[in-house]
Amino acid sequence: MRAQPQASHFIDGAYVEDSAGAPIDVVYAASGETIARLHEATPAVIDCALAAAARAQRDWARLMPVERGRILQRAAAIMRERNRELSVLETLDTGKPLQETLVADATSGADALEYFGGMAATVTGESIPLGRDFVYTIREPLGVCVGIGAWNYPTQIACWKAAPALAFGNAMVFKPSEVTPLCALIVAEILHEAGLPAGLFNVVQGRGAAGASLVTDPRVAKVSLTGSVPTGRKVYAAAAEGVRHVTMELGGKSPLIIFDDASLEDAIGGAMLGNFYSSGQVCSNGTRVFVQRAIKERFLERLKARTEAIAMGDPMDEATQMGPLINAAQMEKVLGYIEAGRNEGARLVTGGARLNGAGYYIQPTVFADVTDTMTIAREEIFGPVMAVLDFDTEEEVIARANDTEFGLSAGVFTSDLTRAHRVVSQLEAGTCWINAYNLAPVEAPFGGSKLSGVGRENSKAAVGHYTQIKSVYVGMGPVDAPY
Ligand code: NDP
């Protein structure tokens, strides 16, 4: 199987290769085969990308916003037309099953391009009366933005960052994760096919060092990272040196609280979506599932039955519901957490093993009787491992749910609407769900509190993260100077 792109980088409207950069082998997670070889960006390649972005951004910012928006909407339409092909590529890049990629990746990328394309022309300033004088404000683009992506949603992450950046008049240099370098190149191709002028969306490949050199370049006004908390700390600190704008979409260890009056099957469905979708490699996953004691054993019994019925296998088979983990290192990390769960006394309800054969498959795994101090209840695993904890009272579960340094997401299942809103109002998380889990429509702000991040992606909130306000004071009379 091959998925070799035309070249490693996409700069100034064209593919660019520089084989002087260290090789990056793309491995298909379902088989372990190398399907493409790319090269890291050398400093010269990074410089070209930033120079192209800086040059192109000046004219782009002067264009009628409605024209910018039209290009993004055209790109959205192309993405939808090419959804199957893009989904296959996403599956090759990540190992996620086609059943998921057909509905979750290029489609959500297209949603973002469509949404921000439509919003481009709606961004306005305000007029502030001061009697005789007045002030008006202008929402201006920031300039050159850097996007750095994680490996779990390479198409979606590229679009979630590119769409608002471009809509509001910025240019972007995007560095995908070295593990999933393929999809962002196609996003760049499609944007240009839709009419995006050269230089406005550039893709450069590389490991952490390439990302680090982008973050500190003086031409860069903003950095938007999707990644882990340790990387977020480094990138945030590096960006602070130049007082750059940042958006940090980082990791989580989110609570999902299930009260005994909840619809059991819906709650189990939510917990499974929030732990097993994309083999558990989702930042907002509800990996601490708090179940009220009265329903615990019934919950576990049905959860076990439904989990054991999950179809694992070839990601290209549309009947497959769960694929492998991204690579061998992530598989080993997750197996290490499963071992820790066993050693620290959690009860293994189902799963817990690697599947024999090629690829990096781990069974969907459920631990019960997990306590708050166990490693699997404290650290982000980023794999298909659900920790079920018991609780008795609302007050107790809120305190325990918030007892974490993360604050990305949280969920509540209950049929008592008053309680649902009361609990959500006390949860320390950027995104909460009531009787649902892990839905992230482009219309809704998405992001974290505490160590899970700063800033918000998607929604109207993104305007504030990809523009800056200029205040213009207009004097309408003589200057009243005391000298
Ligand atoms: P990492 O933090 O390892 O990497 C994220 C990106 O940052 C990669 O492109 C990486 O490059 C790059 N990078 C690493 N070091 C630096 C540096 N010093 N300066 C600049 N860039 C750097 O995350 P993963 O790719 O492992 O993704 C998983 C993590 O992402 C999880 O913690 C998950 O929760 C989080 N995530 C958060 C989301 C959110 O919206 N809140 C959504 C999805 C994931 P390279 O990979 O090439 O080393």
Side-chain angles (χ1 to χ4, degrees):
M1 205 177 296
R2 300 291 292 158
Q4 185 67 42
Q6 288 181 44
S8 299
H9 319 289
F10 194 97
I11 297 171
D12 211 5
Y15 275 103
V16 171
E17 191 54 275
D18 182 356
S19 53
I24 295 175
D25 284 336
V26 186
V27 174
Y28 181 41
S31 65
E33 294 169 80
T34 298
I35 54 169
R37 169 168 276 201
L38 283 71
H39 293 274
E40 272 198 69
T42 55
V45 164
I46 288 181
D47 183 60
C48 276
L50 288 167
R55 198 179 332 108
Q57 193 266 333
R58 286 188 284 273
D59 289 340
W60 182 242
R62 286 193 211 105
L63 207 64
M64 287 270 288
V66 74
E67 291 179 44
R68 294 200 297 257
R70 203 174 292 137
I71 292 170
L72 299 190
Q73 290 185 324
R74 211 176 289 138
I78 299 172
M79 284 191 85
R80 289 196 204 287
E81 277 159 26
R82 291 175 62 180
N83 182 41
R84 177 161 287 271
E85 170 207 340
L86 295 172
S87 304
V88 168
L89 189 70
E90 176 93 19
T91 291
L92 289 169
D93 220 3
T94 61
K96 293 186 295 185
L98 202 52
Q99 191 185 92
E100 288 186 13
T101 56
L102 281 169
V103 296
D105 293 282
T107 53
S108 67
D111 286 350
L113 291 164
E114 208 160 44
Y115 179 84
F116 288 109
M119 194 187 281
T122 70
V123 175
T124 55
E126 56 181 345
S127 175
I128 303 161
L130 297 169
R132 184 191 59 185
D133 295 351
F134 64 98
V135 167
Y136 66 92
T137 63
I138 310 171
R139 280 246 168 225
E140 295 187 333
L142 301 172
V144 176
C145 302
V146 162
I148 301 177
W151 41 256
N152 55 347
Y153 281 81
T155 305
Q156 183 189 79
I157 292 171
C159 292
W160 280 16
K161 296 187 190 310
L166 296 172
F168 307 136
N170 304 282
M172 176 159 274
V173 178
F174 185 80
K175 189 201 83 66
S177 165
E178 115 207 26
V179 182
T180 52
L182 302 176
C183 294
L185 292 168
I186 306 299
V187 172
E189 256 187 47
I190 288 175
L191 282 165
H192 288 84
E193 187 186 330
L196 188 75
L200 289 167
F201 184 71
N202 308 278
V203 178
V204 295
Q205 308 294 347
R207 301 185 168 78
S213 69
L214 288 170
V215 171
T216 49
D217 191 280
R219 287 165 286 192
V220 171
K222 176 187 172 108
V223 180
S224 176
L225 169 81
T226 298
S228 61
V229 171
T231 302
R233 281 201 167 103
K234 281 190 234 162
V235 172
Y236 200 175
E241 189 68 30
V243 197
R244 296 187 175 85
H245 297 254
V246 294
T247 300
M248 296 280 138
E249 293 289 355
L250 309 178
K253 189 74 196 174
S254 301
L256 171 55
I257 302 171
I258 298 170
F259 286 97
D260 58 14
D261 62 352
S263 152
L264 194 67
E265 290 301 322
D266 285 342
I268 290 168
M272 291 174 74
L273 279 170
N275 279 272
F276 302 143
Y277 205 73
S278 303
S279 299
Q281 302 164 117
V282 179
C283 52
S284 49
N285 270 357
T287 47
R288 291 182 295 141
V289 180
F290 292 93
V291 180
Q292 205 160 16
R293 208 174 298 277
I295 57 165
K296 172 184 161 185
E297 290 309 327
R298 259 191 311 138
F299 177 90
L300 288 173
E301 192 186 314
R302 282 292 298 144
L303 172 64
K304 177 174 157 59
R306 286 179 61 176
T307 300
E308 288 172 357
I310 289 176
M312 295 185 77
D314 175 5
M316 292 295 176
D317 178 345
E318 277 182 55
T320 295
Q321 295 170 314
M322 205 171 131
L325 289 153
I326 186 75
N327 57 22
Q330 188 63 16
M331 180 184 71
E332 291 305 333
K333 185 176 156 200
V334 174
L335 288 171
Y337 278 113
I338 291 172
E339 193 57 27
R342 280 202 177 98
N343 291 341
E344 292 176 26
R347 166 164 56 112
L348 184 65
V349 175
T350 185
R354 178 184 176 180
L355 289 195
N356 290 330
Y360 312 117
Y361 290 84
I362 293 183
Q363 292 172 320
T365 298
V366 176
F367 280 107
D369 304 335
V370 177
T371 60
D372 296 349
T373 54
M374 287 181 187
T375 309
I376 57 168
R378 304 227 57 90
E379 295 181 15
E380 184 182 45
I381 298 174
F382 228 56
V385 182
M386 186 193 305
V388 179
L389 304 93
D390 320 326
F391 76 95
D392 293 299
T393 69
E394 181 181 315
E395 194 185 9
E396 167 211 340
V397 78
I398 292 167
R400 289 170 60 198
N402 287 337
D403 181 20
T404 167
E405 57 188 4
F406 299 108
L408 190 55
S409 307
V412 181
F413 274 85
T414 176
S415 54
D416 178 343
L417 273 183
T418 321
R419 172 157 66 191
H421 297 295
R422 187 170 62 233
V423 170
V424 157
S425 73
Q426 295 171 78
L427 291 173
E428 296 164 359
T431 306
C432 294
W433 290 276
I434 294 173
N435 295 335
Y437 206 82
N438 258 359
L439 302 171
V442 68
E443 295 88 342
F446 183 82
S449 58
K450 294 156 84 176
L451 287 191
S452 292
V454 289
R456 293 291 178 270
E457 292 199 300
N458 291 340
S459 77
K460 285 182 262 180
V463 178
H465 297 294
Y466 282 98
T467 59
Q468 57 195 333
I469 296 177
K470 178 181 277 175
S471 275
V472 183
Y473 187 107
V474 183
M476 298 291 287
V479 173
D480 184 16
Y483 346 93

